Structure formats: C-alpha cells, structure tokens
Amino acid sequence: MITITEEIAVPSTPSRVWEIISDPAEVVSCISGAELGASHEDGSFDGTLVVKFGAVRVKFAAVVALELDPETLEGRLTARGRDGQRATRFTAEATFRVRQGDGETRVQVDGEISLNGKLASLVEAGAGAVVSRMTKEFSDQLIQRCAPERAPEAAPGIALVTTTTTPPARSLFGRLRAWWARLRRKEAHAKAE
Amino acid sequence: MKVYEVLAQAFVAEGTSDVFGMMGDANMHWMNALAQRGVRLYEVRHEGSGLGMADGWARAAGRPGVVTTTSGPGVAQLATSMICASRARTPLVAFCGETPWGDQSAVQYLDQRRFAAAIECGFVHVSRPDLAAEAVQKAFYLARTESRPIMLSAPIDVQKQECENDDYVPSLNLLPRVRSLPDPAGIEAACEIIRDSKRVVVIAGRGARRADAGEQILRLQEQTGALLATTLQAKNWLCDRTGYHVGIAGLYGNKAAMELLQEADCVIAVGASLNHYTIEHGYLFPEARYIQIDTAPHVVMGNGAVADCYLQADAVTALTQLSQALESRSVRLDGYHTADVRTRLTIPPVEFRSEPGRLDPREVIQVLDTELPGEIGLVLGSGHQTDFGTMLFQRSREVMSNYGMFGAIGQAPLLTIGAIVAGGNKPAFVVEGDASFLMHLPEFETACRYDIPVLVVVMNDEALGAEYHKAMASGLDPELAVIPTPELGQVAVALGGGGATVRTAEQLRAALNEYVRNPRPTVIDVRITRDVVSVPYRRLLYGEDV
C-alpha cells in the first residue's frame, strides 16, 4: 500500500485551481505519461499511464471515476486497472480539497494506491519513491497550469495595464475531450438529482 | 560381500570420484569402502558445507555430486544447503546413514524420509540387502533425469549385512542418447516471426552454453541483427565475440541495455527458461513475441505464458536449421546492428567514491577483473555486495552464480571449493560478503587441508550489507546491521592459508598478484565503503532510473 499525503500551495485563486483540478483533461496534462481515453455513460472514463519503475517502463490502463462537489470544492478520484502484461492490478483512491490559504490556494490530497501481482515484488519499496516523485511533478505542473498567463512583453513606452487568467491554449482534440468530460459530468449530476 | 561394499562399488560404477562430508557411525563403513576403491574423500567441518561443495562440484562437472552424512543429526545439518541445491536443480546424491531399521528409540533416530521431503529432496531407501545396488542405481537415475538432489538413506544394520555382488548396471546405461530434432513446422513458424520483426534479441542461457552452441548463436545473431543477452547463469558468455552484447537480461542489466531490450519485438531464447528474473515478469519485453529453443518438453516462462513458438530440440541442431531456413528465405535484418546502438552500449566511466581506508566496491571489481586472468573462474556470492560483481565483471570467464537459489548467504565459498575439485584443482575465486564468508569460516581450513587453490575475496563492509541499505530505505536504524569483523587476512593465515587485509587499490593489486603467482587457499579481506548503493538496490528501493 502506498500512501499519499500532500498539501500543495498554489499561487492562484481557489476558483482557478478548482477549474483545473476538476477537469480530467487538465489533470492528465499535469501527469507525465498519462493519457485520457474514452468516456463512459456512468461518467467514468478510461485512462492510461506509463510509469518508469527503475529502468522498466510499465503501462497501466484504468477506469477512472471522478466525483466532484463544486460547493465545497472537494473531489474524490478512484481508479482501478491493470498493466499491459496483465500481471498486476492496482486500485487508487484519492480525495482532494481546495481551500483558500494565506494569499494562496491550498490543495490537500490524501490517497492510497494498492498494487497486487507480479510488479509488487519487482518494485519493492521503490514504488513509494516513484509515486512521491510523480506527486511532486504533478504539484509543479499544477502550479504552472494555475498561474496567470504571462502577458506579452510591453513595447517600449506602452504601459502594461491588464493581466489575464485565461487558461493556456489547448489543442482542438484536448478541448473536445474536456467539453465531453464536462458534459458527462453534468449529465451524471442531473441523473443524481 | 557386505552391503556397504556393494553400495560403495555401485557409487564407483556411477562415476563417483570425489565425496564431501563428515564421518559418523552410520556412514564410516561405506566411506572406508570408497577409500579402498580410490575415491577421494573430503572431510569437512559441517555436513551442510559438504553438501554445498558437492553442489558446486556437480554444477561444474555437469554430473551428480556426492555428499555423505551419518544418521540423524548429520542429516539434519543438510537443510539449508539441500534446499539451495534443489532450487538450483543440481543433480546430487546424498548418502546418509540411518539408525538401525525400525529402532525409533535410537538416540540419533530421525524420520529421514519426511525430513528429505521437507528440504525438497528426493528419497530412496536401502531397506533390504538384496535391493542395495538397485537403490543406488535408482538414486542416480532420479538425480540425473529429474536434475535434483536425492537422499539415499541406508540403515546401519542393513549396511552391515551380507549380500550377493551381482553385475551392476550404471544409471547412465538406462538413459537413451538421442538428439532431439526440431519440428519443421516450428522452424517455419520461427522464420515467419523473425521475418515480421525489426528488433530481435537472442538470450543465451546455461543450456546453450552446456550444448556448446556459441557459434550457432553468433551466426543467428548476425543474420537477425540481434542484441545478444545472457541469463545470469551464462554471464559474460560470448561477450568477447560481438559488439552487440548487452550483458545480463534482467535487473542486472545496465540502463542502456534495459532501454534497448524494452524496444525488442522478438526474443529468441536458447537454453534459457526465461524465468521471471530474466524477463522481469514480462515487463522487460512488453511488445515482444517469443521463440524458445529448449530440450525440455514444455516451459512456462516467467510471465506465466508459453512462447509464441516453442522448439523442443537440441540447441545446436535447432539453431543450425533455423539459420539455414532464414538463409533460404533470404531473411536478413539489420535490427539493432547500428552505430547508434554501439554508441549507446559504450559504458561511461565511473567516478569512484572511496573513503579513507575503504574502497569503492565498483573499483574493487574493476581491479579484480583486470588483475585476475580469464582462466581463473569466478563464483558470485550473496548479499548487497554481489550486485557490483554481477553487473560489472566484464571479462569472459567461467562464472557461477548462486543468486535466486533460496537466497541463503554463505554458500558461494563452498560452491567454489567443490567446483575447483571438479575442475582438477584449477584456481578459482569467489567474491563474497563478510557475513557470508564468516558463516562457514571453518571450511577455509578444509580448503587449506586439501590444498584447494580457492581465492576468497571478502567485500567487507563490516555489516549485513543488504539489511543495512534496506533499513536506510525503510527509515529503520541501519547501525543495527553493522557488525565489526577482525582482520580476516590474519585469520586466513592462522588457518593455514594465505591472507591479506587491504584498504587501497594498490594493496589489493599486490595481494592479487601474489595469488596469481602462487595460487593457494587465500583470503583477501577488502574493506569497502557502505556509501555506494548498487544499481539494483537503487532501482528496487528508490525506484531510480539508473
């Protein structure tokens, strides 16, 4: 069992952080080696993740479910899947909370990852270190994603008067996937009501 | 003729020339009869050690080794070494005396049949004088055909009875001598797989080496543009014959090798079972199709699957036919044989991290590899220090490894002594940890007594190295694994051999040169730093991409 307990300080507003962290496409873009797949009717979606344990590259495929509460800015992610060799299964559960900090936004992430199968013996204690590094990388990416977009350098003699909070441009495919994911979430929300 | 004489005669007929063990009431008559028949007896200081030597003897000779013990306590001492031999699939016969048949009140009574089962050993009982010779034949037959240790248990009262001395038929006469030829359809299927591939890896194992299939492997490698890797048991084989040798497939491969192997789309295994160490449960070859050449009727690989094309055949014959078939179909691949791959396989220089009075273990391996000629065989021991030698020895030489055979420390010096005896007393060296060497220290005296030219290089970090580094990674107190040792060079001299304790590379070179000039039982106690963590441990404990 690998435990994640991480508090990320993001120099941005809670609403901006929530906008990113509640969007699967955005979250995936913060994780190196991750890709988003098809969405399912129940609101879950497929995902793949390539992880390097030592010198060995392992590709996992998972079904991911995301429950979001925009009122409290809290979410819960569950993922369940196995690797390409079909030798190892994994489950992951994580909750995240976005709250206002002292001049910044704090994101509290608590989670557990369980590996069962051949890989578990292969990676031993190193899996925890790998997850720890991935969490750090995710934190760095999240901070970058949430940062206000830098305005173009002002021409000499022209005053810079505005800043923008527009999210970084995404590819058409990325925008479509994000739109689809949001649509599915709304549908799921409507059904729940 | 007495039964113990019939038994001894049968052992001689089976080819027994060297027996390791300890004498006691229940095997001394048999040992006496062996000595009268010219068999060399090696009296050891612990029965388990004797078994370790017989294991090494058998692995080197390729035929059953022999160990002997007296009844009960003598047998009970065999446990750890027996399980190691069993896991190594070593053909071996343990001649064990037994208390008088049926006397369960005897002080040395042990249910040896049940004990044998518990320590993963076959069992044959000498229950009647007229069946004694047949029991020996059966024990050797099982050891040879099942490639495992067999305990031949003989009650002392049965041994002392009279019986007829009939002509003995050695177990080898019961074994057919046939070459197994590959199925033509299998050769065809293998050609198709290779034709559809772009990056082929050939993995040569212990079976290929024993079959002397080196030339055929090199030809196939050249035709298919393949990388050549070996299993641990065939380490460094053919490394001086091709520029596309990547060393060991598995955890002991270097970073470049691991990356290149993961690009393979076809693996051809020759005399290699492709266990989970070699293919990392399949993760090392995620996209590959497998062709496997082996004499076994069937093999399940370390990923739980069977090969896409399995050729049950003698290695030389199968490889010859496969190469001919590829040539007739004009199948020829460039594969990995590019300048870029050669560049990637170039090993970058390492900056050593010594501390005062303690060497970097990587430098120690480099000095050993340079100073000890290739004719001097190598046995790799156990523990954290083994990783350095297993990864870094580059010179082509006979290598025996005990890694993965039950994980017991202390076995390697015993294996080395046995292997040297099997090889006609040619010098060999073993690289072992301090705790491992000290576990069976008295057997160095055995080596001195019989003038067996073993060089024990003790990689001495004055700790249980594996536990030290695992404790560090787990947040435990590593100092609990630190155990000081005396100067082992002086200990070796006191036991009747040569010895030195070295703390610099120059001192190490001088001690090695002394051994090369005058090979005799020698211990070189090399003090090494605990600050260098091996690559496999960095991968396993810290997930480092190194």
Short mmCIF file of all heavy atoms in Angstrom, two decimals, chain B residues 235-263:
data_model
loop_
_atom_site.label_atom_id
_atom_site.label_comp_id
_atom_site.label_asym_id
_atom_site.label_seq_id
_atom_site.Cartn_x
_atom_site.Cartn_y
_atom_site.Cartn_z
N LYS B 235 26.48 -15.66 -17.54
CA LYS B 235 27.05 -14.30 -17.55
C LYS B 235 28.37 -14.23 -18.33
O LYS B 235 29.24 -15.06 -18.15
CB LYS B 235 27.27 -13.83 -16.11
CG LYS B 235 27.94 -12.45 -16.04
CD LYS B 235 28.09 -11.93 -14.64
CE LYS B 235 29.05 -10.74 -14.62
NZ LYS B 235 28.69 -9.64 -15.50
N ASN B 236 28.44 -13.19 -19.15
CA ASN B 236 29.66 -12.85 -19.93
C ASN B 236 30.01 -13.86 -21.02
O ASN B 236 31.02 -13.69 -21.70
CB ASN B 236 30.88 -12.65 -19.01
CG ASN B 236 30.79 -11.35 -18.24
OD1 ASN B 236 29.84 -10.59 -18.41
ND2 ASN B 236 31.75 -11.10 -17.39
N TRP B 237 29.18 -14.88 -21.18
CA TRP B 237 29.48 -15.83 -22.25
C TRP B 237 29.39 -15.11 -23.60
O TRP B 237 28.42 -14.39 -23.85
CB TRP B 237 28.48 -17.00 -22.20
CG TRP B 237 28.80 -18.09 -23.19
CD1 TRP B 237 30.02 -18.60 -23.48
CD2 TRP B 237 27.86 -18.82 -23.98
NE1 TRP B 237 29.91 -19.60 -24.41
CE2 TRP B 237 28.60 -19.76 -24.74
CE3 TRP B 237 26.47 -18.78 -24.13
CZ2 TRP B 237 28.00 -20.64 -25.63
CZ3 TRP B 237 25.87 -19.65 -25.01
CH2 TRP B 237 26.63 -20.58 -25.76
N LEU B 238 30.37 -15.29 -24.45
CA LEU B 238 30.45 -14.73 -25.79
C LEU B 238 30.60 -13.20 -25.82
O LEU B 238 30.50 -12.59 -26.87
CB LEU B 238 29.21 -15.12 -26.64
CG LEU B 238 28.94 -16.62 -26.78
CD1 LEU B 238 27.60 -16.86 -27.48
CD2 LEU B 238 30.06 -17.31 -27.55
N CYS B 239 30.84 -12.59 -24.65
CA CYS B 239 30.91 -11.13 -24.64
C CYS B 239 32.12 -10.62 -25.41
O CYS B 239 32.14 -9.46 -25.83
CB CYS B 239 30.90 -10.59 -23.21
SG CYS B 239 32.39 -10.95 -22.27
N ASP B 240 33.11 -11.47 -25.59
CA ASP B 240 34.30 -11.04 -26.35
C ASP B 240 34.16 -11.36 -27.83
O ASP B 240 35.10 -11.18 -28.60
CB ASP B 240 35.55 -11.72 -25.77
CG ASP B 240 35.41 -13.23 -25.69
OD1 ASP B 240 34.28 -13.73 -25.84
OD2 ASP B 240 36.43 -13.92 -25.46
N ARG B 241 32.99 -11.81 -28.27
CA ARG B 241 32.82 -12.22 -29.68
C ARG B 241 31.91 -11.29 -30.47
O ARG B 241 31.77 -11.45 -31.67
CB ARG B 241 32.24 -13.65 -29.72
CG ARG B 241 33.09 -14.72 -29.04
CD ARG B 241 34.34 -15.06 -29.85
NE ARG B 241 34.03 -15.40 -31.23
CZ ARG B 241 33.61 -16.61 -31.62
NH1 ARG B 241 33.46 -17.57 -30.72
NH2 ARG B 241 33.36 -16.85 -32.89
N THR B 242 31.25 -10.35 -29.82
CA THR B 242 30.35 -9.46 -30.54
C THR B 242 30.28 -8.10 -29.85
O THR B 242 30.36 -8.01 -28.63
CB THR B 242 28.92 -10.06 -30.62
OG1 THR B 242 28.01 -9.03 -31.05
CG2 THR B 242 28.44 -10.58 -29.28
N GLY B 243 30.14 -7.08 -30.66
CA GLY B 243 29.99 -5.73 -30.11
C GLY B 243 28.58 -5.43 -29.68
O GLY B 243 28.30 -4.33 -29.17
N TYR B 244 27.68 -6.36 -29.92
CA TYR B 244 26.27 -6.12 -29.57
C TYR B 244 25.83 -7.02 -28.42
O TYR B 244 24.72 -7.54 -28.41
CB TYR B 244 25.38 -6.31 -30.81
CG TYR B 244 25.67 -5.29 -31.86
CD1 TYR B 244 26.51 -5.59 -32.94
CD2 TYR B 244 25.14 -4.01 -31.78
CE1 TYR B 244 26.81 -4.64 -33.90
CE2 TYR B 244 25.42 -3.05 -32.74
CZ TYR B 244 26.26 -3.38 -33.80
OH TYR B 244 26.55 -2.42 -34.73
N HIS B 245 26.73 -7.21 -27.48
CA HIS B 245 26.43 -8.00 -26.28
C HIS B 245 25.97 -7.03 -25.19
O HIS B 245 26.66 -6.05 -24.90
CB HIS B 245 27.70 -8.73 -25.83
CG HIS B 245 27.47 -9.87 -24.89
ND1 HIS B 245 27.00 -9.69 -23.61
CD2 HIS B 245 27.65 -11.22 -25.04
CE1 HIS B 245 26.90 -10.87 -23.00
NE2 HIS B 245 27.28 -11.82 -23.86
N VAL B 246 24.81 -7.26 -24.62
CA VAL B 246 24.28 -6.31 -23.63
C VAL B 246 24.38 -6.82 -22.20
O VAL B 246 23.83 -6.20 -21.28
CB VAL B 246 22.82 -5.93 -23.94
CG1 VAL B 246 22.73 -5.16 -25.24
CG2 VAL B 246 21.91 -7.16 -23.97
N GLY B 247 25.05 -7.94 -22.00
CA GLY B 247 25.18 -8.45 -20.64
C GLY B 247 23.95 -9.25 -20.24
O GLY B 247 23.30 -9.89 -21.07
N ILE B 248 23.64 -9.17 -18.95
CA ILE B 248 22.55 -9.99 -18.41
C ILE B 248 21.20 -9.34 -18.70
O ILE B 248 21.04 -8.14 -18.52
CB ILE B 248 22.73 -10.16 -16.89
CG1 ILE B 248 24.02 -10.94 -16.59
CG2 ILE B 248 21.54 -10.87 -16.26
CD1 ILE B 248 24.41 -10.93 -15.13
N ALA B 249 20.25 -10.16 -19.15
CA ALA B 249 18.87 -9.67 -19.29
C ALA B 249 18.22 -9.72 -17.91
O ALA B 249 18.24 -10.76 -17.26
CB ALA B 249 18.09 -10.53 -20.27
N GLY B 250 17.67 -8.59 -17.49
CA GLY B 250 17.02 -8.57 -16.18
C GLY B 250 17.54 -7.42 -15.33
O GLY B 250 18.16 -6.48 -15.84
N LEU B 251 17.31 -7.54 -14.05
CA LEU B 251 17.63 -6.46 -13.11
C LEU B 251 19.10 -6.07 -13.15
O LEU B 251 19.46 -4.94 -12.83
CB LEU B 251 17.24 -6.90 -11.69
CG LEU B 251 17.44 -5.91 -10.56
CD1 LEU B 251 16.56 -4.68 -10.74
CD2 LEU B 251 17.14 -6.57 -9.22
N TYR B 252 19.98 -7.01 -13.53
CA TYR B 252 21.41 -6.74 -13.53
C TYR B 252 21.91 -6.10 -14.83
O TYR B 252 23.10 -5.91 -15.00
CB TYR B 252 22.20 -8.02 -13.25
CG TYR B 252 22.06 -8.51 -11.83
CD1 TYR B 252 21.50 -9.74 -11.55
CD2 TYR B 252 22.49 -7.71 -10.77
CE1 TYR B 252 21.36 -10.18 -10.24
CE2 TYR B 252 22.36 -8.14 -9.47
CZ TYR B 252 21.80 -9.38 -9.21
OH TYR B 252 21.68 -9.80 -7.92
N GLY B 253 21.01 -5.79 -15.73
CA GLY B 253 21.41 -5.10 -16.95
C GLY B 253 21.65 -3.64 -16.66
O GLY B 253 21.03 -3.06 -15.76
N ASN B 254 22.53 -3.01 -17.45
CA ASN B 254 22.72 -1.57 -17.24
C ASN B 254 21.59 -0.80 -17.91
O ASN B 254 20.74 -1.37 -18.60
CB ASN B 254 24.11 -1.12 -17.69
CG ASN B 254 24.31 -1.27 -19.19
OD1 ASN B 254 23.36 -1.21 -19.96
ND2 ASN B 254 25.55 -1.45 -19.61
N LYS B 255 21.58 0.50 -17.70
CA LYS B 255 20.45 1.33 -18.16
C LYS B 255 20.26 1.24 -19.67
O LYS B 255 19.14 1.05 -20.15
CB LYS B 255 20.70 2.78 -17.73
CG LYS B 255 19.58 3.75 -18.08
CD LYS B 255 19.92 5.12 -17.51
CE LYS B 255 19.13 6.22 -18.15
NZ LYS B 255 17.71 6.20 -17.85
N ALA B 256 21.38 1.35 -20.40
CA ALA B 256 21.27 1.30 -21.87
C ALA B 256 20.70 -0.04 -22.31
O ALA B 256 19.83 -0.11 -23.19
CB ALA B 256 22.64 1.54 -22.50
N ALA B 257 21.19 -1.10 -21.69
CA ALA B 257 20.70 -2.43 -22.06
C ALA B 257 19.22 -2.57 -21.76
O ALA B 257 18.45 -3.08 -22.59
CB ALA B 257 21.50 -3.50 -21.30
N MET B 258 18.80 -2.11 -20.61
CA MET B 258 17.38 -2.21 -20.23
C MET B 258 16.51 -1.46 -21.24
O MET B 258 15.45 -1.94 -21.64
CB MET B 258 17.16 -1.63 -18.83
CG MET B 258 17.87 -2.37 -17.72
SD MET B 258 17.05 -3.89 -17.22
CE MET B 258 15.93 -3.32 -15.99
N GLU B 259 16.97 -0.28 -21.63
CA GLU B 259 16.17 0.52 -22.58
C GLU B 259 16.09 -0.17 -23.94
O GLU B 259 15.03 -0.23 -24.56
CB GLU B 259 16.77 1.91 -22.70
CG GLU B 259 16.54 2.76 -21.46
CD GLU B 259 17.29 4.09 -21.48
OE1 GLU B 259 18.12 4.30 -22.40
OE2 GLU B 259 17.05 4.90 -20.59
N LEU B 260 17.23 -0.69 -24.39
CA LEU B 260 17.25 -1.34 -25.71
C LEU B 260 16.40 -2.61 -25.71
O LEU B 260 15.66 -2.88 -26.66
CB LEU B 260 18.69 -1.66 -26.10
CG LEU B 260 19.54 -0.46 -26.51
CD1 LEU B 260 21.02 -0.83 -26.55
CD2 LEU B 260 19.10 0.07 -27.88
N LEU B 261 16.49 -3.38 -24.64
CA LEU B 261 15.72 -4.64 -24.59
C LEU B 261 14.22 -4.36 -24.60
O LEU B 261 13.44 -5.13 -25.17
CB LEU B 261 16.11 -5.45 -23.35
CG LEU B 261 17.55 -5.99 -23.32
CD1 LEU B 261 17.80 -6.80 -22.05
CD2 LEU B 261 17.88 -6.83 -24.55
N GLN B 262 13.82 -3.26 -23.99
CA GLN B 262 12.38 -2.95 -23.96
C GLN B 262 11.85 -2.55 -25.34
O GLN B 262 10.64 -2.47 -25.53
CB GLN B 262 12.10 -1.85 -22.93
CG GLN B 262 12.19 -2.38 -21.51
CD GLN B 262 12.08 -1.30 -20.45
OE1 GLN B 262 10.99 -0.87 -20.11
NE2 GLN B 262 13.21 -0.87 -19.93
N GLU B 263 12.76 -2.31 -26.29
CA GLU B 263 12.32 -1.98 -27.64
C GLU B 263 12.16 -3.24 -28.50
O GLU B 263 11.72 -3.16 -29.65
CB GLU B 263 13.35 -1.06 -28.30
CG GLU B 263 13.48 0.30 -27.62
CD GLU B 263 14.68 1.08 -28.14
OE1 GLU B 263 15.29 0.66 -29.15
OE2 GLU B 263 15.02 2.10 -27.53
#
